[in-house]
Amino acid sequence: FGYSDTKRVPARYLYNKKEYLRAFLDSYMLGDGDDRNVITTKSKYMADDLQIIALQLGMTASINQKENGLYRVGIIKRPERSI
């Protein structure tokens, strides 16, 4: 949290139980995401933190910086696999 260009996920939340990380990511997606699972943020720190959370949840996440300085985090939710 913080100013829009320095916003980030506090470390105590960044490395937490998967159920909490999933709830955080889903909630964040509802606020700043779109229907294609892309989150837009002004903060490089937040983009990096969202990518870390997605990776911890077994998802793929890519970060692209647009010409206007905004970062777009694309998240691909992989299907659950069972053995």
Side-chain angles (χ1 to χ4, degrees), residues 1-10 20-35 37-51 53-54 57 71-73 75 77:
F1 309 119
Y3 295 105
S4 62
D5 59 339
T6 60
K7 198 181 291 188
R8 68 178 318 144
V9 177
Y20 299 140
L21 294 175
R22 185 173 307 280
F24 175 84
L25 187 60
D26 289 345
S27 298
Y28 201 91
M29 184 73 70
L30 287 174
D32 288 346
D34 65 17
D35 59 346
N37 290 336
V38 176
I39 299 171
T40 302
T41 180
K42 188 174 179 183
S43 170
K44 172 70 168 131
Y45 302 114
M46 182 59 83
D48 290 341
D49 291 348
L50 292 168
Q51 185 178 46
I53 290 172
L57 294 172
Y71 295 90
R72 294 175 53 85
V73 184
I75 297 175
K77 297 180 180 180

